[in-house]
Amino acid sequence: MLARPIDPDDPPRDIALVDTYNLRDLGGYPTADGRRVRWRTLFRGASLQRLSGADAETVRELGLLTAIDLRTADELTNSGGYPVEVLPATVHHLPMLSTIWELPDPGPDEAAERFLLARYHDMLREGAAAIVETMAILARPDDLPAVFYCAAGKDRTGVLAALVLDAIGVEDEHIVADYHLSKERVERIRARAVARADSEDLLSAMVSQPPQFMAAPAEAMELFLALIREEHGSTAGYLQSIGVSEATIAAVAANLLEPIPA
């Protein structure tokens, strides 16, 4: 599993913050046609409404122009939005789900990858409008650098990251590895929630979640990519089926990709 930068001279993938976890760069991943994702252009994150103090100053250096909030309306109301007062940016609230999953607990023998695959499959339908608008944003060079985020940065953010990376030609092994990177980061978020279990922070709900909810197995993303290809031929085929044009996909690729340096 490729959990490190592609090149030792690449910048750090993780943006090191004190009180906000799982903010990382999607740069550096190679495509099948010999290009790579530009560094410091597109980021994925978790709970960015918490950014303040030194963490906000670190993020300020990224020069973000756009923040895409994938959380539900209730999460936005209860936890607050992206802190534009300290980090000016154009904010788009594009929920990938209408409500947080309210499902029966999976049985102890249910494989995490199968449980998550079913949730991600649902997200392709429920999050279609958010996906279409995100692709439109990423097609506009003046809106970059950009970040998209949810609560933990694993599921909604992970699905969107996979769709964007696959649509522009990033190889599967890197898409899967990027998804799997969330495992350790989510464990840190959960540990923080346990330590603050008496707080009103919505992340405290993670303390009692079944392990399948918190997992990020590589197999879940492998199955997800395979499912898209089985149903739509490709991620580009899925995107076109929900209203994303070929021209938009090409523009996203032009904005996010660069030749790999010699």
Side-chain angles (χ1 to χ4, degrees):
M1 195 61 60
L2 302 173
R4 297 180 180 178
I6 303 302
D7 187 289
D9 294 327
D10 286 343
R13 184 167 304 285
D14 282 289
I15 308 303
L17 302 174
V18 175
D19 198 37
T20 302
Y21 308 136
N22 208 13
L23 175 61
R24 59 187 196 263
D25 197 326
L26 285 171
Y29 292 128
T31 64
D33 67 2
R35 292 180 288 175
R36 71 172 186 177
V37 183
R38 298 179 191 275
W39 287 100
R40 298 305 190 251
T41 304
L42 183 61
F43 301 82
R44 56 177 292 172
S47 296
L48 299 189
Q49 73 278 0
R50 298 183 52 81
L51 289 171
S52 62
D55 283 353
E57 292 306 310
T58 297
V59 172
R60 187 188 309 280
E61 295 175 4
L62 303 178
L64 295 173
L65 297 179
T66 302
I68 301 170
D69 186 344
L70 305 177
R71 298 173 301 151
T72 66
D74 284 346
E75 288 173 293
L76 178 62
T77 298
N78 293 329
S79 295
Y82 188 82
V84 291
E85 64 280 359
V86 294
L87 291 169
T90 299
V91 179
H92 301 267
H93 182 222
L94 303 175
M96 287 283 283
L97 298 170
S98 57
T99 60
I100 295 298
W101 295 330
E102 294 182 3
L103 303 165
D105 287 353
D109 297 327
E110 183 173 354
E113 59 267 24
R114 290 291 175 181
F115 173 81
L116 292 169
L117 175 64
R119 309 288 78 73
Y120 298 168
H121 193 193
D122 290 343
M123 213 178 293
L124 291 178
R125 172 186 51 79
E126 193 169 351
I131 294 163
V132 170
E133 183 57 28
T134 296
M135 292 296 291
I137 292 166
L138 300 183
R140 299 192 290 262
D142 291 346
D143 287 351
L144 302 172
V147 62
F148 50 82
Y149 71 100
C150 59
K154 178 176 76 74
D155 300 309
R156 290 167 285 186
T157 297
V159 165
L160 186 57
L163 293 173
V164 172
L165 294 177
D166 196 37
I168 64 176
V170 172
E171 296 178 288
D172 281 9
E173 61 182 315
H174 302 292
I175 298 172
V176 172
D178 180 77
Y179 169 80
H180 189 60
L181 284 175
S182 286
K183 177 181 183 297
E184 183 271 339
R185 281 76 172 169
V186 170
E187 288 171 353
R188 290 173 60 201
I189 294 173
R190 187 178 186 282
R192 173 185 172 276
V194 169
R196 301 188 182 187
D198 60 342
S199 75
E200 295 182 1
D201 194 324
L202 285 183
L203 291 181
S204 62
M206 291 186 179
V207 174
S208 59
Q209 294 285 11
Q212 289 93 333
F213 277 64
M214 297 293 98
E219 295 81 2
M221 184 50 61
E222 292 169 349
L223 290 169
F224 179 64
L225 293 173
L227 180 147
I228 292 173
R229 289 161 192 169
E230 179 182 346
E231 293 190 345
H232 301 280
S234 65
T235 289
Y238 161 72
L239 292 173
Q240 290 170 38
S241 77
I242 62 173
V244 180
S245 68
E246 290 185 38
T248 295
I249 297 171
V252 173
N255 290 341
L256 295 183
L257 297 179
E258 65 181 359
I260 293 178

